[in-house]
């Protein structure tokens, strides 16, 4: 492993200035993150008051449908949102507020301490450079003094680590000569090149077929065991989250609606949206000819005109209208375990319903 | 790659043969080298001249005879000046190549610089300014622009400030009584400016569009996520990808450059290929015109080949099979 750049010492020399509600042992903390994009119809509220912590060695899953603000959240953490985005709230990396950092210092964290695996590896790899050169770039950007041969050795080692056969030869090939699964693995190799403390994986398996998905997920798990990085796994695939994540945050319309451990989320969901998602999943042990899966009525809301009160109320079977569901935004609250929180006025009622209860008999 | 270039060169031979045959036939059909003998009182004068020039033979045989001579370096004689065509064309070509070289160099550098600036600072005041200027540049006919440039950059300042010489010369490529880099540059500025103004205007628009396209690519965001600086990303990733579509446009436009040369060389009295073409056309100098068109066709084919090779160098996804 190449030694960390001098810039990191410089960073660590500064006292953390995080407020008391940010846990000292969290690697990454997001507090009250809001992201709005101006549009002709008014501001798009892509992320609305999201807070969460990521601790060492854990995998946090962020789940939600398209447009729920998952990817925008990750871009905000990386500081890669376009200039027109209006951002408020704070991101703390080991207690340091990232949003106050000038770009020059943020660059030393990007890719070295917080790295990202992008959704579509075909478009996220530059078509005109070899895969090896692009992985090498990730190393040399943060370590200018490393020798050429060392970089090459490290590139080959990284490709071998993510399970690419014949890595020495493959490093000299271009992205279009790689298959979809191999591209995604090369992308992972690139992101772990500097053994980052936090790895953000934005839908790492979306474009892949199921067997390749499994391989890529296995690679990520193996990497995490080796490097002890924390992983933020962004996905709309509940199955992926169930298999990999330690804790889960469910997002809906730019808000966090439920946070808890995987078991809590999957076995006793407290938010009607989480419950609905689980009830719409088929199970291997049920007879698919007799059971009809649940569906969440309606469409996800426009982020320009988010429904008043709880954003989920127009689609919610537990909603009491008009008050409180369409008048008051529910805060995240715990009903028994302090770490399991849901943003619902009637969590106590929701938790009594099991996902299977929502499935109906097929006629 | 070398075998591809060799094969492409081999392919260009039949293309060049067909092109030269058609050009030869067209020039023969449109120009009659015996026309000036029609007023002659000798009724056999035309016939004798036709036999002397071989015009009584079928066109294919005429072409074959011409081709054999052409490949042996005998490019014929001008019917206007009775000079040998080969040195005439060679001299004109050398002047034109200088104009093309500086023209392409200046156009590419300026257009790419404007394009990158306009893409990186999209919708800034500078971007709007360059957009307006490029529309003016595109709308400006070179013959008019050349005259305006002479008036306001050369002849005008000389008269206003009572100089012996204008700041930029507007006749030929070098002074009769002087030489050197400075003299050469002072001659080049106005013709190159006239030749490039439209090209810069259109290439800078292409560069802006292809840079914007490249900069919105996921790989650019991924490169930023690796920790590269904004300019590092722009030059190493976005610009490198944006070059590929630009090269296409450049290769196609270089053919158009020959059209611009005709006007530019005429305005600035530069004895190049463009001026040679106009002079031969007006005088009906068929022997020069045939050679001129064939040499020009060879140039266009050569630039197309160059563009194809450049693609391969720029875009690894293109494979020469």
């Amino acid at each position: 492993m190449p030694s960390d750049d001098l810039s990191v010492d410089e960073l660590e020399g500064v006292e953390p200035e995080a407020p008391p509600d940010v846990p000292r042992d969290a690697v990454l903390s997001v507090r009250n993150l809001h992201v709005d994009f101006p549009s002709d119809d008014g501001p798009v509220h892509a992320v609305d008051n999201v807070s969460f912590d990521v601790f060492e060695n854990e995998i946090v899953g962020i789940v939600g449908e398209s447009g729920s603000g998952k990817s925008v959240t990750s871009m905000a953490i990386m500081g890669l949102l376009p200039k027109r985005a209006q951002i408020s709230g704070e991101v703390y990396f080991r207690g340091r507020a990232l949003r106050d950092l000038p770009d020059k210092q943020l660059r030393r964290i990007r890719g070295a301490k917080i790295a990202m695996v992008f959704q579509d590896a075909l478009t996220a790899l530059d078509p005109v450079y070899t895969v090896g050169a692009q992985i090498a770039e990730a190393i040399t950007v943060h370590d200018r003094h490393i020798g050429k041969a060392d970089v090459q050795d490290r590139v080959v080692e990284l490709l071998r680590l993510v399970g690419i056969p014949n890595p020495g030869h493959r490093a000299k090939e271009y992205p279009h000569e790689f298959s979809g699964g191999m591209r995604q693995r090369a992308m992972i190799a690139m992101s772990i090149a500097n053994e980052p403390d936090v790895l953000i994986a934005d839908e790492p398996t979306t474009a892949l077929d199921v067997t390749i998905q499994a391989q890529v997920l296995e690679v990520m798990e193996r990497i995490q065991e080796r490097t002890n990085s924390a992983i933020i796994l962004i996905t709309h695939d509940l199955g992926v989250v169930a298999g990999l994540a330690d804790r889960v945050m469910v997002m809906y319309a730019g808000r966090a609606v439920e946070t808890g451990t995987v078991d809590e989320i999957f076995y006793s969901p407290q938010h009607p949206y989480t419950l609905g998602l689980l009830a719409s999943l088929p199970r291997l042990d049920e007879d698919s000819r007799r059971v009809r899966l649940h569906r969440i009525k309606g469409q996800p809301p426009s982020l320009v005109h988010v429904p008043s009160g709880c954003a989920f109320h127009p689609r919610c079977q537990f909603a009491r209208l008009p008050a409180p569901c369409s008048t008051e935004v529910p805060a995240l609250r715990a009903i028994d375990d302090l770490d399991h929180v849901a943003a619902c006025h009637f969590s106590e009622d929701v938790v009594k319903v099991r996902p299977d209860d929502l499935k109906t008999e097929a006629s | 790659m070398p075998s591809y270039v060799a094969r492409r060169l081999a392919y260009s031979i039949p293309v060049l043969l067909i092109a030269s045959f058609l050009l030869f036939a067209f020039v023969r059909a449109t120009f009659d080298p015996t026309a000036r003998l029609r007023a002659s009182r000798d009724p056999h004068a035309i016939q004798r001249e036709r036999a002397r020039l071989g015009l009584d033979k079928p066109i294919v045989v005429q072409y074959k005879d011409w081709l054999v001579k052409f490949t042996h370096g005998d490019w014929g004689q001008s019917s206007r000046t009775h000079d040998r065509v080969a040195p005439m064309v060679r001299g004109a070509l050398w002047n034109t190549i200088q104009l093309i070289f500086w023209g392409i160099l200046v156009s590419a550098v300026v257009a790419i610089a404007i394009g990158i600036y306009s893409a990186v600072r999209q919708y800034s005041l500078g971007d709007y300014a360059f957009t307006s200027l490029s529309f003016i540049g595109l709308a400006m006919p070179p013959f008019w622009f050349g005259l305006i440039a002479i008036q306001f950059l050369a002849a005008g300042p000389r008269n206003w400030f009572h100089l012996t010489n204008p700041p930029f010369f507007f006749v030929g490529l070098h002074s009769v009584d002087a030489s050197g880099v400075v003299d050469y540059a002072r001659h080049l500025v106005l013709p190159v400016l006239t030749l490039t103004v439209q090209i810069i205007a259109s290439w800078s628009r292409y560069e802006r569009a292809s840079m914007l396209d490249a900069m919105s690519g996921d790989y650019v965001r991924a490169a930023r996520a690796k920790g590269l600086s904004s300019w590092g990303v722009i030059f190493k990733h976005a610009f490198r990808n944006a070059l590929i579509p630009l090269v296409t446009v450049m290769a196609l436009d270089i053919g158009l450059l020959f059209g611009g040369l005709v006007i530019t060389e005429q305005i600035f009295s530069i004895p190049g290929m463009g001026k040679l073409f106009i002079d031969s056309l007006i005088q009906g100098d068929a022997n020069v015109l045939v050679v001129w068109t064939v040499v020009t066709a060879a140039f266009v084919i050569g630039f197309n080949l160059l563009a194809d090779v450049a693609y391969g160098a720029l875009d690894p996804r293109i494979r020469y099979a």
Side-chain angles (χ1 to χ4, degrees), chain A residues 75 78-80 103 107 110-112 114 116 118 120 123-129 134-135 137-138 141-142 174 176 187 190, chain B residues 120-121 217-230 232 235-238 240-241 244 314-319:
Chain A
M75 286 299 163
M78 296 293 285
L80 290 177
D103 192 63
R107 264 180 6 226
R110 253 188 231 140
I114 309 176
M116 191 153 179
F118 284 87
D120 185 352
T123 56
L125 290 169
D126 190 328
V128 303
Y129 295 108
Q134 294 186 58
I135 298 174
E137 187 182 38
V141 149
H142 296 286
Y174 290 92
H176 70 272
M187 189 79 209
M190 193 160 89
Chain B
V120 174
R121 300 258 179 276
D218 280 354
Y219 54 84
V220 163
R221 209 173 46 175
R224 298 259 296 144
K226 282 200 262 182
L228 260 73
S229 67
S230 322
F235 284 108
K236 194 164 174 202
H237 293 278
R240 182 66 175 65
N241 277 276
I244 298 167
L314 287 172
D315 191 342
R317 284 164 296 185
I318 291 173
R319 278 284 158 267

Side-chain angles (χ1 to χ4, degrees), chain A residues 4-70:
Chain A
D4 286 333
D5 214 6
L6 51 130
S7 53
V8 177
D9 304 332
E10 203 178 295
L11 285 170
E12 279 161 3
V14 183
E15 274 303 301
E17 71 276 29
D21 69 316
V22 171
R24 293 309 286 272
D25 53 342
V27 196
L28 190 83
S29 301
V30 174
R31 283 294 172 274
N32 309 319
L33 183 70
H34 291 260
V35 181
D36 289 352
F37 293 98
S39 81
D40 291 344
D41 303 325
V44 176
H45 307 288
V47 178
D48 189 358
N49 204 15
V50 166
S51 303
F52 62 94
D53 297 302
V54 182
F55 298 92
E56 245 164 56
N57 261 325
E58 75 169 348
I59 300 184
V60 176
I62 300 183
V63 187
E65 53 204 296
S66 307
S68 60
K70 302 169 302 205

Side-chain angles (χ1 to χ4, degrees), chain B residues 13-29 57-67 70 290-291 293-294 297:
Chain B
I13 291 170
V15 173
L16 207 54
L17 279 177
I18 293 168
S20 64
F21 174 72
L22 289 175
L23 291 166
F24 183 85
F26 289 151
V27 172
R28 276 285 176 272
K57 292 181 205 155
I59 187 81
V60 182
V61 178
Q62 286 185 46
Y63 172 70
K64 199 205 79 197
D65 293 345
W66 172 83
L67 187 65
F70 183 83
V290 173
V291 173
T293 47
V294 171

Side-chain angles (χ1 to χ4, degrees), chain A residues 20 23 94 101 253 277 333 358:
Chain A
R94 296 197 182 282
L101 287 183
L277 286 181
R333 62 192 181 94
L358 296 183

Side-chain angles (χ1 to χ4, degrees), chain B residues 1 46 68 85 163 187 198 218 220 261 291 304:
Chain B
M1 179 73 114
I46 292 181
V68 169
V85 174
L163 307 167
H187 278 89
Q198 281 191 321
D218 280 354
V220 163
L261 280 168
V291 173
N304 274 320

Side-chain angles (χ1 to χ4, degrees), chain A residues 172-207:
Chain A
K172 294 188 196 94
E173 291 190 342
Y174 290 92
H176 70 272
E177 295 168 286
F178 276 46
S179 70
M182 286 213 294
R183 265 178 226 140
Q184 194 56 276
R185 278 183 269 175
M187 189 79 209
I188 293 172
M190 193 160 89
S191 64
I192 58 166
N194 298 302
E195 307 213 344
D197 295 355
V198 183
L199 186 64
I200 304 174
D202 186 359
E203 312 234 2
T205 57
T206 300

